[in-house]
Amino acid sequence: MATDALRAQVAAKWQESFTRLNQNEPGIVGLLNFSQAWNIARECIRPRGLDEPDPLTEYDKSTFQASFELLNKCRRLPILLETFLDDMRKRLPVIKEEVDQYTLEYERTSDTSFILNLVFRLLQWYNKWMPRSELGATLQSAFVLSFQTHIFSILTPTFVRGFKELCASTLPPSDPSTSAPEPNIKMWEAFETLGLLDRYENIIASVGYEHIEAHVVSNFAGQWSTSVLGELRKWMTNQVVPWMLLMYGRNATTTDDARAMLQNVGSRFDFHMAKTLCDLRTKEIFDIIIDFPESTGALQDLKECLHRVDQRANLVHTLRKANHKRLLHPGADTRLILTQYVATIKCLRVIDPPGVLLFKVADPIRRYLRERPDTIRCIISNLTGDDDSGDPLVDDSEPIQPLHQTELEEYNDPNWEPEPVDAGPDFRANKPSDIVSTLVSIYDSKDLFVKELQVLLAQRLLSVTDDDSEKVEKERRSIEILKIRFGEAALQACEVMLKDMSDSKRIDGHVQSQNETVLHPTIISKHFWPMLEATEIVMPGQFRTLQEEYAKRYSTFKPDKQLRWLPHLGTVHLELQLEDRTIETNVPPLEAAFIELFSQQNVWTMDKLIDQVGSSVDKAAALKALLTWVDLGVLKEEGNNTFSLLEVADAAGTTPREPRAVANSAMELPSAPSVQQQQAEQMKVYWKFIEGMLTNLGSLPVDRIQNMLKLAPGYDQTVEQLGIFMEAARLEGLVVVRDGIWKLTPK
Amino acid sequence: MEQITSSLAPPRAPASNKSSQASSSQSGAGSVAKRLGNELMTLMMSSSPGISAFPKSDSNLFDWVGTIEGAPGTVYAGLSFRISIHFPPNYPYVAPTIKFETPCYHPNVDIASGTICLDILQDKWSAVYSVQTILISLQSLLGEPYNASPLNSDAATTWKDQEAQVMRYYRPISEST
């Protein structure tokens, strides 16, 4: 089918090739020469077995050169190269067999020396097959590339494992007492020649990383008292860098060279060291905070590490999680949470002065604290130093400052700095303020604090008995301190309360001077004291007489004022004269009232007793009061809620029974309703408003109600709280809701 | 403390203040609002049966809506009337304007416009009166009309014997109001 043209073309090609190979020799002499030269050249670069002799022993050097030159002239060298590589490929199974053998041995014994031997064996093959350098760089580099490619394809994952282990065995031991193993320079050279260093760079690096990790964790976990970063860097210089030099700096002749070579890898290792330490400290952060201030060193480290590695988000995340798990649960004491919160503030201020981290971590704690009913009480009692349990939250060294108000940003400030980049949208650049301001700012307003403070103060002042002016003085002192923080105006009521105390003393002195009486009342100004629980006991018998006489004298002294007794607060010192014995004791007024009644009649039922002192006394309280007397052996329970007086001590009754609640009940603080109860009281007022607006304006959505309630003085509930309240009102059947519109239940 | 004393202080005499009130109505607005706020508080807390009032919106304290229930034992017993209360800027020196929004067939009430003829809302007004006192007066006016000067003479004549007639013009407050 071939056309003439094609035929002619093939003939021309053939002629051309022939001429090239024949080298213009007559006949086919040139062709024969070429054939010989090809055979010699091929034979001498043929990949041989390790025990075969070197080609130089068979042919002399000039013959080679002549053959290669001839081949070169005929432009057949590329073909020769391909043939060579092909030959090599054919011999590879031999190597593979050996590799398999060695790795198998390693797998069996886990002895890295097999891997080492394998590497050396490979090196032998490599050197054996390496074409002579006279043959040109092209041939050599082609060989290296091809050889390495084939080797890598043969090496199994087992080898990689062994290789890693081998590298690890060259590391300096973390125990400084044993000396480092002798550096095996030959081995590293073999690695390099075979291209293993480049190929397994990651593995070698991971060996280094793991070494660093192990060192950091085993030596520095739980060591928070001092900064360890410097020590760690020194360790790196002394131990890890020499090791790195083996790999990365072998070719360096001068130290400058070495430094340049290590720059890149060194900074990677340093980064890894910082990251490891940072991870470790992040994991320990909760306990570090607990240990503060003994853990300052660790915090310094963490600060520096965070500069180097960007793990801030991780730190926040870890700490929040730890807080959630270990701190913010019902089992933790409020005091404890506060202490930890304060420690957190201090610690994170060390790590991150601008306070972004703190803001992110503190948020859940603050939210949680806001929900705890006793937070305010805890803070206040701590502020006034009235806490027996543990250290005060606030150092005495910290200067007492007025509370900071959140200020608007001052852009004219020449030292103004923008917010840090990772600050959230509602991050407030809170200027470094003192701990107390931070604690108080948990709540939106400090009014709550002031109110709670009043309640606490009231409780404590009322528990002061006469001649105990030292206590009052102590309260005065703590109020003075708090005044600096909260401002004069806020604590005005407290001031009045304290003044009431001293005034009472004065008035009492005056009344006593006219007509001595055993009654020493504390006269308080109703408006300035928190609401006191009003159980109205009507004191019977002599007590009432005493009260009335005192009141009369008081009103002559201060005609414009009137005494309203709160007889349930206070204590009574009694001396009971019974037929066979006298009992002297301090009791609360209810107890005194009951025993007074027993002086009129010897047997009472509890209900009758309660009727006598005014029916506002609940049964539990009455029973407790009666049992106090039973414990003292004055009364005897006859069963059926009937009690009788023991004029003559009961034989059984006088056996000293542990006086149960006497000590306690006398010491118990008079109760003033907490802020929460007062809030419930407040809500009743707001209900009137809601009722009023719903009566007159028909039906309203909750938003409108919320807005309208602003008309009510002091209304500070959120719309959510209002919603809850409305829902409660609905359950009581006061209102109905339809499509979010509330109205009064039709009559 | 200041608040307490100021609220306890007797209201100033209207005569001495009339001139200054006009000129300083701007600054007076705050104190009027304060007084109205106090009155609202008192009214809410007093819980007088059958009377109630509340500002129409939280932004304007000068317009209120009130509700008066007929006192038991009168012909108006069981009925409730809606009224509107508008306070002038110089309240309490001038009486508020009060009208019945619900038509009220009563000798002293104009059934069409709702205007009320009550002495304390006109010439007998005094600054010591408050929303609460007005509402109580209105409630008692329902039961005891002042027949000498009727606005609705028809009602005045039928008052004595045809009590049932009163009911003819009554429409209860509907849901929509």
Side-chain angles (χ1 to χ4, degrees):
Chain A
M1 295 292 274
T3 60
D4 289 345
L6 184 60
R7 223 170 268 160
Q9 209 179 351
V10 170
K13 277 274 175 199
W14 166 260
Q15 188 60 39
E16 190 199 306
S17 305
F18 175 79
T19 325
R20 195 173 344 120
L21 292 182
N22 206 20
Q23 298 287 317
N24 297 327
E25 298 285 333
I28 57 165
V29 174
L31 210 53
L32 286 176
N33 284 347
F34 172 79
S35 171
Q36 201 188 358
W38 172 267
N39 282 339
I40 293 172
R42 185 175 168 191
E43 175 62 22
C44 90
I45 62 167
R46 176 175 66 88
R48 287 148 202 272
L50 285 176
D51 41 358
E52 280 180 73
D54 213 51
L56 272 185
T57 51
E58 281 173 50
Y59 306 92
D60 86 66
K61 210 171 167 184
S62 54
T63 328
F64 280 134
Q65 246 138 17
S67 323
F68 276 103
E69 259 161 46
L70 185 61
L71 287 186
N72 196 16
K73 230 188 267 169
C74 303
R75 285 189 274 162
R76 273 299 169 268
L77 273 183
I79 311 288
L80 182 69
L81 179 63
E82 262 173 46
T83 321
F84 164 65
L85 295 180
D86 213 34
D87 286 344
M88 199 169 84
R89 197 153 41 240
K90 283 180 192 144
R91 300 290 311 239
L92 270 177
V94 185
I95 298 184
K96 184 169 167 37
E97 208 169 291
E98 281 188 11
V99 168
D100 285 348
Q101 220 168 356
Y102 278 110
T103 41
L104 217 67
E105 279 296 304
Y106 165 72
E107 215 163 324
R108 206 167 50 75
T109 58
S110 299
D111 188 350
T112 49
S113 62
F114 284 105
I115 298 293
L116 189 59
N117 289 340
L118 170 60
V119 171
F120 284 135
R121 187 76 180 170
L122 285 173
L123 188 65
Q124 267 178 315
W125 283 108
Y126 176 87
N127 287 334
K128 189 80 186 176
W129 291 2
M130 172 66 104
R132 303 172 54 80
S133 53
E134 303 93 295
L135 301 183
T138 326
L139 193 54
Q140 273 191 334
S141 63
F143 163 76
V144 170
L145 189 66
S146 165
F147 186 83
Q148 287 180 353
T149 313
H150 290 307
I151 294 292
F152 295 155
S153 73
I154 289 169
L155 294 175
T156 55
T158 319
F159 170 80
V160 177
R161 211 174 65 219
F163 180 74
K164 191 171 170 186
E165 213 173 299
L166 183 63
C167 289
S169 73
T170 64
L171 277 170
S174 41
D175 182 7
S177 59
T178 56
S179 57
E182 202 57 38
N184 191 345
I185 297 184
K186 261 188 147 162
M187 178 187 88
W188 291 108
E189 271 172 5
F191 285 171
E192 167 128 47
T193 318
L194 291 176
L196 293 176
L197 277 190
D198 287 339
R199 164 99 176 153
Y200 294 123
E201 196 184 358
N202 285 343
I203 289 176
I204 296 172
S206 77
V207 168
Y209 292 162
E210 276 166 28
H211 183 59
I212 294 173
E213 278 163 29
H215 180 78
V216 169
V217 171
S218 69
N219 286 322
F220 300 120
Q223 305 264 317
W224 304 323
S225 51
T226 51
S227 170
V228 297
L229 205 59
E231 196 185 322
L232 203 55
R233 287 232 159 90
K234 217 160 89 196
W235 171 79
M236 290 280 288
T237 328
N238 292 338
Q239 306 275 320
V240 183
V241 170
W243 180 76
M244 287 183 342
L245 269 174
L246 285 179
M247 267 174 293
Y248 301 102
R250 251 169 311 100
N251 304 331
T253 45
T254 65
T255 35
D256 276 350
D257 256 4
R259 189 168 304 143
M261 282 171 157
L262 285 179
Q263 186 100 62
N264 188 16
V265 65
S267 70
R268 255 172 33 217
F269 271 74
D270 188 62
F271 178 89
H272 193 78
M273 180 201 72
K275 183 174 183 306
T276 309
L277 188 63
C278 186
D279 283 350
L280 178 70
R281 293 295 183 241
T282 302
K283 216 165 66 194
E284 298 170 330
I285 184 72
F286 190 82
D287 296 296
I288 291 179
I289 291 175
I290 291 179
D291 260 24
F292 188 81
E294 272 74 44
S295 54
T296 325
L299 292 170
Q300 285 297 342
D301 283 351
L302 194 54
K303 182 184 176 186
E304 262 186 53
C305 290
L306 282 177
H307 275 305
R308 186 101 173 73
V309 269
D310 188 24
Q311 298 275 337
R312 290 159 66 94
N314 190 22
L315 179 72
V316 169
H317 181 74
T318 312
L319 188 53
R320 280 178 75 137
K321 220 162 123 189
N323 277 338
H324 185 72
K325 189 175 158 207
R326 295 177 60 177
L327 193 64
L328 307 181
H329 56 76
D333 187 31
T334 307
R335 248 201 68 79
L336 213 79
I337 299 177
L338 279 172
T339 316
Q340 180 75 356
Y341 176 42
V342 170
T344 307
I345 293 173
K346 289 178 181 161
C347 288
L348 292 186
R349 248 187 227 162
V350 172
I351 297 174
D352 172 51
V356 180
L357 294 186
L358 176 63
F359 183 77
K360 288 180 179 170
V361 171
D363 199 42
I365 306 181
R366 294 163 68 88
R367 242 183 296 134
Y368 186 82
L369 280 173
R370 220 173 293 156
E371 282 165 17
R372 282 241 171 169
D374 56 341
T375 304
I376 297 184
R377 218 163 253 238
C378 245
I379 295 173
I380 289 290
S381 62
N382 201 293
L383 283 185
T384 52
D386 182 60
D387 224 329
D388 322 319
S389 53
D391 354 294
L393 294 172
V394 188
D395 297 337
D396 296 334
S397 56
E398 202 170 318
I400 299 168
Q401 301 165 329
L403 288 182
H404 285 273
Q405 296 298 330
T406 39
E407 295 152 20
L408 288 176
E409 251 187 294
E410 171 70 79
Y411 292 104
N412 294 327
D413 181 5
N415 298 321
W416 179 86
E417 275 179 30
E419 287 177 358
V421 277
D422 53 347
D426 40 350
F427 172 74
R428 286 191 309 268
N430 26 9
K431 306 276 171 286
S433 52
D434 64 330
I435 302 283
V436 177
S437 313
T438 317
L439 286 180
V440 171
S441 70
I442 290 177
Y443 295 87
D444 296 328
S445 79
K446 61 181 183 184
D447 294 353
L448 277 176
F449 274 88
V450 174
K451 269 187 204 152
E452 191 67 43
L453 182 68
Q454 284 173 17
V455 172
L456 275 181
L457 184 68
Q459 283 187 354
R460 284 212 296 270
L461 287 182
L462 289 180
S463 72
V464 169
T465 48
D466 32 78
D467 308 330
D468 213 356
S469 51
E470 220 170 275
K471 264 195 191 160
V472 182
E473 271 317 301
K474 195 176 143 246
E475 296 304 334
R476 192 185 300 280
R477 248 198 323 277
S478 53
I479 292 294
E480 285 299 328
I481 293 173
L482 289 172
K483 250 197 225 164
I484 303 175
R485 293 195 190 282
F486 289 93
E488 196 93 14
L491 295 188
Q492 204 189 16
C494 294
E495 191 76 346
V496 175
M497 287 160 74
L498 285 167
K499 190 161 172 296
D500 277 349
M501 292 305 285
S502 46
D503 280 357
S504 314
K505 234 182 162 97
R506 208 161 41 76
I507 293 168
D508 191 48
H510 178 82
V511 174
Q512 299 287 346
S513 69
Q514 291 186 339
N515 195 341
E516 204 153 317
T517 160
V518 292
L519 191 64
H520 299 283
T522 298
I523 298 155
I524 64 178
S525 321
K526 183 162 174 267
H527 278 293
F528 294 92
W529 286 64
M531 268 188 291
L532 295 165
E533 220 175 345
T535 52
E536 298 195 359
I537 310 176
V538 182
M539 295 301 277
Q542 52 174 323
F543 298 119
R544 173 128 43 134
T545 327
L546 281 172
Q547 281 180 349
E548 277 165 4
E549 270 173 27
Y550 199 101
K552 217 185 289 159
R553 234 163 279 130
Y554 179 78
S555 55
T556 51
F557 181 48
K558 294 219 167 197
D560 54 336
K561 291 193 179 149
Q562 205 184 352
L563 276 184
R564 252 193 69 219
W565 296 94
L566 292 169
H568 60 292
L569 305 171
T571 54
V572 183
H573 181 81
L574 279 181
E575 196 181 308
L576 302 182
Q577 286 182 340
L578 300 167
E579 270 175 25
D580 61 337
R581 64 199 188 280
T582 324
I583 292 174
E584 212 169 306
T585 179
N586 273 319
V587 288
L590 186 61
E591 272 85 336
F594 282 162
I595 208 70
E596 171 73 17
L597 289 168
F598 275 97
S599 69
Q600 300 167 7
Q601 132 184 10
N602 277 350
V603 181
W604 287 88
T605 64
M606 196 162 75
D607 294 337
K608 283 251 178 65
L609 284 172
I610 291 173
D611 281 348
Q612 287 291 315
V613 295
S615 38
S616 64
V617 180
D618 70 76
K619 280 202 171 158
L623 188 66
K624 191 175 136 250
L626 286 167
L627 286 178
T628 308
W629 291 118
V630 172
D631 286 341
L632 285 170
V634 177
L635 295 183
K636 187 172 174 224
E637 190 172 1
E638 303 281 359
N640 208 6
N641 280 340
T642 311
F643 292 83
S644 64
L645 184 68
L646 293 171
E647 276 288 359
V648 179
D650 200 357
T654 44
T655 46
R657 254 213 267 156
E658 198 58 39
R660 241 179 290 182
V662 185
N664 286 342
S665 62
M667 294 307 293
E668 225 168 63
L669 291 175
S671 59
S674 74
V675 168
Q676 244 183 353
Q677 285 161 306
Q678 288 184 26
Q679 261 175 358
E681 204 62 31
Q682 275 285 297
M683 239 21 227
K684 275 187 204 155
V685 174
Y686 301 141
W687 167 246
K688 295 270 191 188
F689 276 81
I690 296 170
E691 202 179 17
M693 70 180 81
L694 290 180
T695 309
N696 292 299
L697 305 177
S699 37
L700 294 172
V702 75
D703 294 346
R704 270 299 288 291
I705 299 179
Q706 172 77 3
N707 281 337
M708 296 290 243
L709 274 176
K710 302 238 166 80
L711 294 172
Y715 181 74
D716 54 359
Q717 310 290 305
T718 62
V719 119
E720 287 77 24
Q721 283 168 314
L722 176 66
I724 294 167
F725 178 75
M726 292 304 288
E727 190 54 35
R730 189 182 69 82
L731 289 177
E732 286 191 28
L734 296 168
V735 285
V736 290
V737 62
R738 208 163 139 215
D739 303 329
I741 307 286
W742 296 87
K743 60 178 188 179
L744 291 175
T745 310
K747 282 171 195 163
Chain B
M1 218 35 211
E2 243 169 73
Q3 239 179 337
I4 297 170
T5 46
S6 68
S7 67
L8 288 179
R12 286 165 291 176
S16 64
N17 271 285
K18 235 165 205 169
S19 55
S20 69
Q21 201 64 35
S23 60
S24 65
S25 66
Q26 205 65 8
S27 66
S31 67
V32 178
K34 201 166 169 186
R35 153 121 188 188
L36 287 174
N38 283 340
E39 285 198 15
L40 178 63
M41 184 71 186
T42 330
L43 183 62
M44 288 299 116
M45 291 299 108
S46 67
S47 64
S48 319
I51 59 163
S52 167
F54 209 82
K56 263 187 193 160
S57 83
D58 58 310
S59 53
N60 181 9
L61 269 176
F62 291 84
D63 271 314
W64 291 27
V65 177
T67 311
I68 298 176
E69 288 173 18
T74 66
V75 281
Y76 301 97
L79 309 180
S80 56
F81 297 92
R82 183 134 301 166
I83 58 171
S84 71
I85 308 169
H86 175 76
F87 295 95
N90 48 355
Y91 181 82
Y93 306 111
V94 173
T97 316
I98 299 184
K99 279 181 181 169
F100 271 89
E101 294 293 313
T102 316
C104 178
Y105 190 74
H106 184 277
N108 301 109
V109 178
D110 182 37
I111 193 151
S113 65
T115 319
I116 304 164
C117 176
L118 182 61
D119 51 358
I120 64 162
L121 290 179
Q122 275 105 31
D123 48 347
K124 292 273 177 62
W125 171 254
S126 147
V128 295
Y129 292 133
S130 67
V131 184
Q132 194 184 1
T133 51
I134 294 170
L135 289 173
I136 292 175
S137 307
L138 281 178
Q139 195 182 27
S140 61
L141 181 72
L142 282 181
E144 298 155 21
Y146 184 61
N147 268 329
S149 61
L151 265 180
N152 184 341
S153 50
D154 192 19
T157 49
T158 53
W159 175 256
K160 281 193 180 121
D161 40 19
Q162 296 186 346
E163 287 184 352
Q165 287 254 357
V166 176
M167 307 301 298
R168 210 172 44 177
Y169 295 93
Y170 171 72
R171 270 186 285 119
I173 297 168
S174 64
E175 300 276 285
S176 56
T177 52

